[in-house]
Amino acid sequence: MAQLRQADEEGVPVLGVCFGGQLLAYTHGGEVVPSQAPEIGWYGLTSDRPDLVPEGPWYQWHFDRWTMPPTAVGIARNANASQAFQLRRNLAVQFHPELDDGY
């Protein structure tokens, strides 16, 4: 967590994917809690910033969800949880953008 805080202080952008997004949330004052609706498979989402996070479907594999840090801006979500947030130069996503339907 110290490295993530230092990167943030130095203005180094960090992309947190799935657990990495949860770690960004926790490091900067959010929480990570068990989800009432674990997501495994392809899920759609609503995005306020389709230039950063296009609407899905996106592949998900997680049993937890985050609450965003106090100064983060939520940019995507679905009925189950927050799916992406921006915090200064950091971007956290709960899904796996590295996967497509061909895996």
Side-chain angles (χ1 to χ4, degrees):
M1 291 191 310
Q3 289 176 324
L4 288 175
R5 284 190 198 101
Q6 182 178 355
D8 186 56
E9 289 169 5
E10 294 177 6
V12 176
V14 173
L15 171 62
V17 174
C18 195
F19 179 73
Q22 294 172 3
L23 189 57
L24 275 173
Y26 185 77
T27 296
H28 296 289
E31 294 181 325
V32 178
V33 298
S35 177
Q36 293 180 341
E39 295 177 311
I40 300 172
W42 296 93
Y43 287 80
L45 56 83
T46 301
S47 178
D48 300 333
R49 293 285 313 270
D51 57 318
L52 288 177
V53 178
E55 297 191 356
W58 292 101
Y59 192 78
Q60 312 242 13
W61 187 283
H62 59 93
F63 297 89
D64 299 309
R65 63 182 184 86
W66 64 54
T67 59
M68 292 186 301
T71 58
V73 176
I75 59 174
R77 68 209 54 78
N78 66 17
N80 298 324
S82 168
Q83 296 293 324
F85 69 81
Q86 188 173 15
L87 179 66
R88 292 175 287 283
R89 298 194 69 202
N90 304 296
L91 178 63
V93 297
Q94 185 60 75
F95 51 86
H96 290 270
E98 74 277 17
L99 296 177
D100 62 19
D101 60 359
Y103 294 71

